[in-house]
């Protein structure tokens, strides 16, 4: 006898707080796949109404094979691995979890700025080796009074602005999609052309999606235009900061240091040249993976699926809003 329950496929393990939402619904059944290759997902996709996904690719073949798919819910805010056009073509809502990782990523960006400014990775080994007297070989700086450029002022970038202001930094904000008065309200000075102010900038952090407009937005020309000894942070998406240009700028001394949570290719190759450069600090695309962020992500990921089933989905979390016409009140 066919089940009347909605079926959810969870691609990858998510925090128990999200799973508890599924477990609490008598009208929903679910399956968790740890092998989320396309071939394996296709073996389990028939009759699936909702997909919760962390990092697995969700291809057109997967989207079209279900026969009744209503929603693909991303565990986070990036959706590079989801075929958005296929979702739209098939009337499938693609949702994100915008409340989830913004505080965590904003804190990570500030962590990079502080660690770089205060020379933590240079000073800590000196203490451990007993080379106390060599501390004068490294020069820490203060963030107070320095100028930070924040490129991208959405949920994460706006939080970075507030945190940087708490350190008494001057903050310039660039985002062509946000009203200048709104940028001022965040606490940043709006700039219409960020390249025109780079000579004033001591540090830059990028918080943009990856697309044709933003790939390489910080390249060789932008790095050269920054104040000598500037700091560069990318906790957004690989490719926004040109890796080859950044390496050259660090080695030349134009850039004093960089913090990179993301890479062009992930994971980076074992011989990636960044590994030989101690002034480039790296984390494994983990800025949004704090305990709190994982809880929030898991909860909202499943919440979005259940809200789709219940007809209460918030349009603000839907990427392809055109599929909502006539289905969800705005």
């Amino acid at each position: 006898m066919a089940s009347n329950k909605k079926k959810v496929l969870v691609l990858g393990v998510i925090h128990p707080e999200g799973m508890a939402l599924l477990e609490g619904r008598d009208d929903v059944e679910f399956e968790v796949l740890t092998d989320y290759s396309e071939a394996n997902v296709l073996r389990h996709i028939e009759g699936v109404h909702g997909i919760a996904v962390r990092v697995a690719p969700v291809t057109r073949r997967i989207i079209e094979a279900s026969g009744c798919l209503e929603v693909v819910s991303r565990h986070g805010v990036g959706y590079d691995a989801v075929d958005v056009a296929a979702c739209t073509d098939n009337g499938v809502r693609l949702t994100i979890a915008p409340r989830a990782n913004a505080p965590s990523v904003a804190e990570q960006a500030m962590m990079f700025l502080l660690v770089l400014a205060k020379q933590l990775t240079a000073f800590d080994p000196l203490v451990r080796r007993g080379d106390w007297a060599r501390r004068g070989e490294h020069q820490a700086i203060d963030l107070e009074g320095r100028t930070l450029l924040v490129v991208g002022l959405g949920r994460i970038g706006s939080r970075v602005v507030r945190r940087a202001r708490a350190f008494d930094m001057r903050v310039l904000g660039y985002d062509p999609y946000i009203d200048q008065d709104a940028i001022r309200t965040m606490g940043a000075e709006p700039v219409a052309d960020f390249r025109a102010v780079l000579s004033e900038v001591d540090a830059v952090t990028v918080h943009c999606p990856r697309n044709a407009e933003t790939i390489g937005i910080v390249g060789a020309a932008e790095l050269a235009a920054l104040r000598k000894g500037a700091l560069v942070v990318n906790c957004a998406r690989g490719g926004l900061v040109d890796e080859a240009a950044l390496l050259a700028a660090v080695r030349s001394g134009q850039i004093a240091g960089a913090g990179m949570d993301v890479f062009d290719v992930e994971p980076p190759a074992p011989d990636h040249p960044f590994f030989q450069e101690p002034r480039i600090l790296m984390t494994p695309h983990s800025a949004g993976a704090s305990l709190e962020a994982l809880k929030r992500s898991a909860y909202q990921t499943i919440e979005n699926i259940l809200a789709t089933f219940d007809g209460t989905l918030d349009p603000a979390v839907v990427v392809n809003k055109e599929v909502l016409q006539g289905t969800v009140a705005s």
Side-chain angles (χ1 to χ4, degrees):
M1 182 176 177
S3 171
N4 290 324
K5 294 183 177 182
K6 297 282 190 178
K7 183 176 180 181
V8 174
L9 203 57
V10 182
L11 305 183
V13 177
I14 67 173
H15 194 276
E17 289 203 7
M19 297 305 297
L21 290 178
L22 290 173
E23 293 162 357
R25 291 285 293 251
D26 293 334
D27 58 340
V28 174
E29 58 185 12
F30 61 90
E31 182 178 9
V32 178
L33 298 184
T34 54
D35 173 3
Y36 38 75
S37 63
E38 183 185 58
N40 192 52
V41 174
L42 288 170
R43 283 191 284 270
H44 295 262
I45 194 65
E46 184 177 357
V48 167
H49 300 88
I51 297 175
V53 56
R54 291 195 64 180
V55 297
V58 181
T59 64
R60 182 175 288 271
R61 288 184 68 197
I62 290 171
I63 292 164
E64 294 180 346
S66 161
C68 55
L69 189 63
E70 299 177 31
V71 57
V72 174
S73 186
R74 263 287 293 127
H75 185 280
V77 295
Y79 45 89
D80 311 57
V82 179
D83 191 325
V84 182
C87 286
T88 302
D89 292 345
N90 290 274
V92 176
R93 301 155 185 81
L94 171 58
T95 67
I96 58 175
R99 301 193 305 269
N101 66 5
S104 309
V105 179
E107 288 183 9
Q108 180 98 349
M110 288 304 303
M111 179 275 294
F112 274 134
L113 289 173
L114 285 163
V115 169
L116 290 165
K118 297 306 178 184
Q119 293 284 307
L120 176 62
T121 58
F123 285 138
D124 179 84
L126 292 184
V127 179
R128 295 175 188 274
R129 293 195 307 263
D131 287 339
W132 191 278
R134 296 180 61 188
R135 59 184 177 172
E137 296 177 9
H138 304 278
Q139 184 62 67
I141 62 172
D142 292 341
L143 293 183
E144 181 176 355
R146 303 274 176 172
T147 297
L148 173 68
L149 170 66
V150 181
V151 179
L153 294 165
R155 290 173 292 268
I156 296 169
S158 60
R159 284 174 166 83
V160 173
V161 170
R162 295 198 296 271
R163 285 155 175 77
R165 286 294 303 276
F167 280 86
D168 294 318
M169 299 189 79
R170 176 194 180 204
V171 184
L172 307 179
Y174 171 76
D175 194 318
Y177 301 101
I178 294 182
D179 181 78
Q180 292 202 348
D181 287 338
I183 294 174
R184 292 188 186 93
T185 300
M186 292 175 196
E189 301 173 31
V191 294
D193 177 3
F194 77 90
R195 292 177 177 87
V197 299
L198 290 175
S199 63
E200 306 173 30
V201 171
D202 300 294
V204 57
T205 180
V206 292
H207 299 283
C208 314
R210 178 187 168 102
N211 54 42
E213 182 182 3
T214 60
I215 292 174
I217 195 168
V218 178
E222 289 76 21
L223 294 168
L226 290 165
R227 282 180 175 166
K228 186 175 177 62
L231 307 175
V232 176
V233 171
N234 184 6
C235 291
R237 283 291 184 270
L240 303 189
V241 176
D242 184 296
E243 291 185 357
L246 177 64
L247 182 66
V250 170
R251 287 180 171 171
S252 74
Q254 167 62 16
I255 300 301
M260 303 289 284
D261 184 55
V262 291
F263 302 85
D264 287 344
V265 177
E266 296 183 348
D271 61 349
H272 196 293
F274 281 6
F275 298 166
Q276 305 304 315
E277 182 45 73
R279 290 168 292 184
I280 299 179
L281 309 184
M282 294 165 282
T283 49
H285 204 150
S286 58
S290 68
L291 172 62
E292 293 81 1
L294 290 174
K295 288 181 178 180
R296 291 189 295 259
S297 289
Y299 192 93
Q300 188 171 14
T301 297
I302 302 305
E303 183 182 55
N304 288 344
I305 291 176
L306 299 179
T308 299
F309 297 163
D310 297 340
T312 59
L313 183 63
D314 180 0
V317 304
V318 179
V319 172
N320 53 343
K321 291 181 169 54
E322 55 268 43
V323 303
L324 297 178
Q325 295 176 1
T327 61
V328 177
S330 58

